[in-house]
Amino acid sequence: MENFKIDVDADGVALVTFDVPGRSMNTLTASVIKEIGEVVERIKTDAAIKGAVITSGKTSGFCAGADLGELGGNGGLGGGDLQAAFDAGFALNKAFRALETCGKPVAAAINGLALGGGLEITLACHYRVVGDNPKTQLGLPESKVGLLPGAGGTQRLPRLMGVMQAAPYLLEGKSMKPQEALAFKVVNEVVAPGSEVEAAKTWVKTKGDPVAPWDKKDFKLPGGGPYTPGGSQVFVMGNAMLRKQSYGNYPAQLNIMKAVYEGLQVPIDAALRIETRYFLKTMMSPQAKGMIRTLFLSLQELGKGSGRPAGVPQYDVKKVAVLGAGMMGAGVAYVQAMAGIETVLIDQTQEAADKGKGYAEALVKKAVSRGKMTQEKGDGILALIHPTADYAQVKGSDLVIEAVFENRDVKAEVTKKAEAELADTAVFGSNTSTLPITGLAKASVRPANFIGIHFFSPVDKMGLVEIIMGAETSQETLAKSIDYVLKIRKTPIVVNDSRGFYTSRCFGTFVQEGMEMLAEGIAPAIIDNVGRATGMPRGPLEMHDDVALDLSYKIAQQTKKDLGDKYEDRPFTGIIEKMVDGLGRFGRKNGKGFYDYPESGPKTLWKGLSDVAPVKIADADKALIEEIRTRLLYRQAVEAARCFEEGVVVDPREADVGAILGWGFAPWTGGPISLIDGVGAAKFVETCDQLAQKYGSRFTPPQLLRDMAAKGESFYGRFAAQKAAA
């Protein structure tokens, strides 16, 4: 065996060390699953073995769960044959059940994180010991990538802690710390780190019980089962809450509920078969395929800098100047300092620069008060941020982030000031969200070193950075920018220049489509309620308030100025002008937009909105709800397809990851490109043509999509072929 090592001591206790070669963390690969069966057979049949302890040979933790790279890349278990698919899906359940019924006591010595299948293997052991490390996580995060726990998690966890207590860990993918797990009886003992194996061996030798609680005749489910007064309420309320939170978009959560409900009414062997059926049903859904690919595989690849040009030496960014100490600049300064980068934070006055540093001071104070950071570490972070109004302090910077107002003249002025202090090798990055990089680079004397580095607000919470290539930006500058983004622990996507680039351009269509509906007379409450039901974080009118109505107005004015006669006024243009110019309603920022934002209490729709945008449709039937839902999602997806045709984005991974991380595109789809691939290009084009006929050319599919529909192609299929050819 290459993944497990078995050492039997003088007392007959077999120490099974799980250590996948060549990997920093143990995962459940096909090879590991096969060898688990061999380990169980050895424990069961070797007369010299009286019991066993399973532990990890890695310092990184116990096991991170299934290898989603294998799972997501195998095109579906069983190759389309249902029996073969079931057998393959049931393999891990079968192996763990064999371990649980081997007739000898087996303990798990959990020396670090145990997630997904990593926790499930410990649940199949008769006793669990975990080291008392607050950084250790125990959990079943499968639902976060559109799956359900498929190796006994939906059956053993509720049997240990009760359905109500298990629900957040199954449905939300929450993790628990060792002391929490002990309180919930998920583990039996918490010991000092490093003594897990010793404690587990002691149990095997002194108290070892080879029968799981649910295999004993007197077993009672904590909190009661589905048909007890207490247990039935959990499922009734749980079903309602699930619908409220997921809007039926996530099959994994519904199937988890079904697996638990049905499984708890039958013996464990039948329950595990039920779980496997729901696991397969979930895994074969387009939602699971899209979410695994985007939220795990693609995110991991991009997070390692897969888009970085080859042949460029690593660029270690040690000092960065941030121009503009407003909310964005202040956030950038904070994340840079957190990554150990010396930061010069510049604004027009010392007072404004100091205020920008105050943002980092507030975040550090909060982290220290919550015990997440020591005062010493916090002081060290703040010492790296130097607020100033003096551009001479830019000297020696490896990179500049320009984060001033979205005004060409202001940006040109600070570009010239900063470049006067920069070395020839330094990178100049603009944080503009809409203005084309090639145009901004005209103010630069080194356009090859000029690039877009677009952050998202709030910077300390948003994990994406959109890197935009200008017409003259060099590959070396791109490589340096990616190195910088990885150093501050963000995920980079690389796009080519255009107005709004990729993220702002596509996100804008969601907000604009909501405005189109408002202008059509659809009630604001219907627009936003259906908007949230699509899986977007907020409705389009709420989102518009968040980004600020006056910002939209200013961008529209700048775009109108740039495009001249080519600019097209929309039916909702007058609504925005009235809200901003006429009524001073700028959105959340000044407490009044489409919604009113009282100092205390929840926001409410502004009662005067119907005077600005008269309501013609106050009720929505099922057909209208479905049409609004389709319009909001497809409008964004067709724009993403246009970005491909125009060469703004060339990698579907970047398009999908950028959409979900950048503006919160419905995660259940896997992203707008996965949505198109899941629906099928032909069907998507057909629906868009129908919408275009009814609502206008903004829904007209680009020629690229028509060609793909005719050839039966998908975006990911095309990308894989191009990658293989390269």
Side-chain angles (χ1 to χ4, degrees), residues 627 685-701 706:
E627 185 174 78
V685 165
E686 181 186 345
T687 303
C688 283
D689 279 336
Q690 292 167 356
L691 291 170
Q693 191 172 7
K694 191 171 181 181
Y695 295 107
S697 61
R698 63 186 183 277
F699 284 104
T700 301
R706 295 193 189 281

Side-chain angles (χ1 to χ4, degrees), residues 34 363 371 424 476 526:
K34 177 178 175 292
L363 288 175
D424 291 341
E476 180 182 348
I526 295 174

Side-chain angles (χ1 to χ4, degrees), residues 475-495:
Q475 291 295 297
E476 180 182 348
T477 297
L478 172 59
K480 289 177 175 179
S481 301
I482 289 175
D483 291 342
Y484 160 71
V485 172
L486 296 179
K487 184 166 184 175
I488 60 173
R489 302 181 189 93
K490 303 286 185 187
T491 301
I493 64 167
V494 180
V495 305

Side-chain angles (χ1 to χ4, degrees), residues 72 103 128 153 196 261 345 352 370 379 453-454 515 589 592 594-595 618 636 651-652 684 686:
R128 287 163 292 283
E196 299 93 350
Y261 181 80
L345 183 59
R370 292 184 174 183
D379 291 342
I453 301 179
H454 176 209
M515 292 301 300
K589 65 191 285 185
K592 52 183 183 178
F594 295 121
Y595 288 78
Q636 297 174 78
D651 185 336
F684 185 83
E686 181 186 345

Side-chain angles (χ1 to χ4, degrees), residues 384-503:
L384 288 169
I385 302 175
H386 310 291
T388 182
D390 182 9
Y391 273 79
Q393 299 297 315
V394 172
K395 193 177 292 293
S397 295
D398 303 303
L399 186 141
V400 167
I401 296 293
E402 171 269 297
V404 299
F405 296 117
E406 288 288 270
N407 179 289
R408 285 185 197 284
D409 296 334
V410 175
K411 289 181 182 293
E413 181 186 348
V414 301
T415 298
K416 289 169 183 172
K417 281 185 180 179
E419 282 193 339
E421 307 294 338
L422 287 176
D424 291 341
T425 54
V427 172
F428 191 99
S430 175
N431 179 53
T432 179
S433 58
T434 57
L435 300 175
I437 292 300
T438 303
L440 294 179
K442 289 178 180 177
S444 171
V445 295
R446 311 166 316 141
N449 295 35
F450 198 101
I451 196 166
I453 301 179
H454 176 209
F455 289 86
F456 296 80
S457 184
V459 179
D460 52 293
K461 293 180 180 176
M462 300 295 278
L464 186 76
V465 174
E466 183 180 31
I467 297 176
I468 305 104
M469 295 289 285
E472 296 185 59
T473 307
S474 70
Q475 291 295 297
E476 180 182 348
T477 297
L478 172 59
K480 289 177 175 179
S481 301
I482 289 175
D483 291 342
Y484 160 71
V485 172
L486 296 179
K487 184 166 184 175
I488 60 173
R489 302 181 189 93
K490 303 286 185 187
T491 301
I493 64 167
V494 180
V495 305
N496 291 311
D497 201 13
S498 82
R499 182 169 296 279
F501 319 128
Y502 171 65
T503 56

Side-chain angles (χ1 to χ4, degrees), residues 519-533:
E520 290 165 19
I522 299 175
I526 295 174
I527 297 169
D528 272 359
N529 285 337
V530 179
R532 286 190 294 272

Side-chain angles (χ1 to χ4, degrees), residues 336-353:
Q336 288 177 175
M338 286 288 287
I341 297 172
E342 182 185 354
T343 298
V344 178
L345 183 59
I346 297 181
D347 213 302
Q348 291 177 305
T349 66
Q350 185 66 46
E351 183 184 11

